Amino acid sequence: MATDIVIPTVGESVTSGVIAAWSKAEGEWVERDETVLELETDKITMEVPAPAAGVIKHAAAEGDEVDVGAVVGTIDETAAKPAGAAAAAPAQAEAGASAAAAPAPAAAVAAPPAAPATPADPAERAREMNGAATTTPPGEVRATPLARKLAQENGIDLKTVIGTGPSGRIREQDVLAAIRVPAGSGATPVAPAGPSRNISRKKMTPLRQKVASRLVEAQQTAAMLTTFNEVDMKPVMDLRKRHKEEFAETHGVGLGFMSFFVKASVSALKTFPMINSYIVANDDGAPAIESHDYQDIAIAVSSPKGLVVPVLRDCDQMSFADVEGTIKDFGKRAQDGKLGIDEMQGGTFTITNGGVFGSLLSTPILNPPQSAILGMHGIKNRAVEFPEKSGQIALRPMMYLALSYDHRIVDGAEAVRFLVHIKNAIENPERLLLAL
């Protein structure tokens, strides 16, 4: 009896995805609920579990685009289970639990030699268990086709990459991590072979395609305009300096700038509710304004596969520690591709921080169907009049703020006052505590 491996329903708006990697090779034994493949959609990367135990057969290749509901492989439940397979899964689970509980070893301790890759063919595994030599060539690196392609394009030697896939197989995420390793970290650089005029081309990921289409949609459908202001960050920086150690000890998370801007945005959205609204279509197709009495703020987060915008729900009910902890969690899971599709839907306003990448000024693009987005930027010491209206000049840590908004629903004066409200809240952080 063979059981089909079917692409599951991911979300209401997701109809297809790309097979990023098979976690189990053709002819390999798989246990029920064990991950068999990674599916990359235009919103998230998800793991597809095995519907039964048996020997796997692929019906689609890595890199293939497949529809929701499509059969991409089968599992032969009548196949004989190879010796040792039953003990392997519990042993691996126990090892994983021990690794999670134990502290990381010191950098000076040499790592144990990597375990040999598990042969994909059951017969080959049996020969290995009986002491026979395997057919795997010595020194061969196990890697997915996408990982090999990415490594070749970026000059990465796969022998220097640590694989995190099954049996140490190198996945796309592992190569991306190797690309990000800074010089001097111990990674072996690959010497260039000389000037190259090669041209490479690779297919855009579903996530990158979705981001591109949404950005074009925003520019084509909204009357987008941007207003700017600047904010003196000294009061917030002084507040953080006074309380950051106690805050971290009490809440287990650092006190950053983002929580101040989230709370300032909540205050401004309550004062200017049109900026917290959408333009939508009624049942008869006529345009209407959808208002929200809550503030669900999306936070733009960079991931290896593109920009994602997970949403902080009911921000007015969150503490500073809640905001900082949730954003930190979003950032970590975005890097690992573990954000859920429901976590990236339904935001009423967006904040993006280009300052972490060194941006001094930008005009952020709307995140449809939202009516506005706040752009934060780098903090630079600049000569400004301080104190205000004193005629004196002082160096202050200043940040440019940008608010892009849909002029169809938000008037210019309202947008300017909204940004001034945020400026006042950041320059006088006690206003946030007093709900002013």
Side-chain angles (χ1 to χ4, degrees), residues 68-311:
V68 168
V71 176
V72 296
T74 57
I75 296 177
D76 184 1
E77 297 182 65
T78 63
K81 189 172 187 177
Q92 290 172 357
E94 184 177 345
S98 300
V109 180
T118 305
D121 182 68
E124 189 176 334
R125 283 202 305 272
R127 289 195 299 272
E128 186 181 67
M129 292 174 184
N130 291 330
T134 71
T135 59
T136 302
E140 181 181 0
V141 178
R142 284 173 56 88
T144 67
L146 284 176
R148 291 185 185 280
K149 187 173 185 295
L150 189 61
Q152 182 180 10
E153 291 173 351
N154 291 274
I156 299 296
D157 184 356
L158 287 175
K159 292 180 180 179
T160 67
V161 179
I162 299 176
T164 61
S167 302
R169 193 182 196 196
I170 297 173
R171 304 185 300 170
E172 180 186 7
Q173 295 93 324
D174 304 323
V175 178
L176 288 171
I179 294 172
R180 292 194 300 269
V181 172
S185 62
T188 304
V190 179
S196 172
R197 291 180 55 82
N198 291 338
I199 297 175
S200 62
R201 181 178 297 178
K202 60 181 180 181
K203 185 177 179 181
M204 288 180 72
T205 65
L207 177 59
R208 181 66 66 184
Q209 292 180 49
K210 185 66 173 181
V211 169
S213 66
R214 286 178 66 83
L215 295 179
V216 172
E217 175 194 350
Q219 292 185 312
Q220 291 179 340
T221 60
M224 194 167 66
L225 198 63
T226 304
T227 185
F228 301 94
N229 212 318
E230 61 180 355
V231 58
D232 186 343
M233 296 297 296
K234 190 67 163 59
V236 166
M237 294 171 73
D238 288 344
L239 183 63
R240 289 180 66 223
K241 186 176 180 179
R242 289 195 302 270
H243 301 292
K244 65 178 182 180
E245 292 185 3
E246 186 178 1
F247 186 92
E249 291 175 1
T250 302
H251 301 291
V253 65
L255 178 60
F257 294 129
M258 190 61 76
S259 52
F260 289 93
F261 281 94
V262 167
K263 285 300 186 178
S265 296
V266 167
S267 176
L269 290 170
K270 288 181 176 181
T271 305
F272 303 94
M274 288 298 286
I275 296 179
N276 201 41
S277 303
Y278 299 161
I279 291 181
V280 297
N282 270 337
D283 293 338
D284 59 1
I289 295 176
E290 178 181 295
S291 300
H292 310 96
D293 59 2
Y294 53 87
Q295 296 79 37
D296 287 355
I297 298 179
I299 305 297
V301 178
S302 177
S303 77
K305 296 184 178 179
L307 188 72
V308 293
V309 280
V311 180

Side-chain angles (χ1 to χ4, degrees), residues 366-419:
L366 293 177
N367 181 17
Q370 297 171 21
S371 299
I373 178 173
L374 176 68
M376 300 165 54
H377 300 92
I379 301 172
K380 302 292 182 181
N381 284 331
R382 291 202 295 277
V384 297
E385 184 182 30
F386 184 84
E388 189 176 356
K389 297 180 181 180
S390 66
Q392 301 177 20
I393 300 299
L395 278 181
R396 304 287 289 182
M398 306 297 291
M399 175 194 288
Y400 287 125
L401 297 180
L403 181 76
S404 293
Y405 59 97
D406 189 345
H407 213 340
R408 296 176 302 168
I409 185 174
V410 180
D411 294 332
E414 190 174 26
V416 170
R417 290 164 59 205
F418 178 92
L419 200 53

Side-chain angles (χ1 to χ4, degrees), residues 347-370:
T348 61
F349 182 74
T350 296
I351 301 176
T352 179
N353 185 5
V356 297
F357 302 108
S359 173
L360 181 64
L361 189 64
S362 67
T363 55
I365 299 177
L366 293 177
N367 181 17
Q370 297 171 21

Side-chain angles (χ1 to χ4, degrees), residues 25-69:
E26 178 91 14
E28 194 170 356
W29 179 268
V30 60
E31 296 290 346
R32 180 183 176 89
D33 294 329
E34 194 175 359
T35 299
V36 292
L37 64 88
E38 292 182 359
L39 181 72
E40 182 181 300
T41 74
D42 59 10
K43 296 184 182 297
I44 59 170
T45 298
M46 63 175 292
E47 296 178 344
V48 177
V55 173
I56 192 170
K57 181 178 181 182
H58 299 171
E62 292 179 346
D64 285 357
E65 184 170 358
V66 291
D67 293 332
V68 168

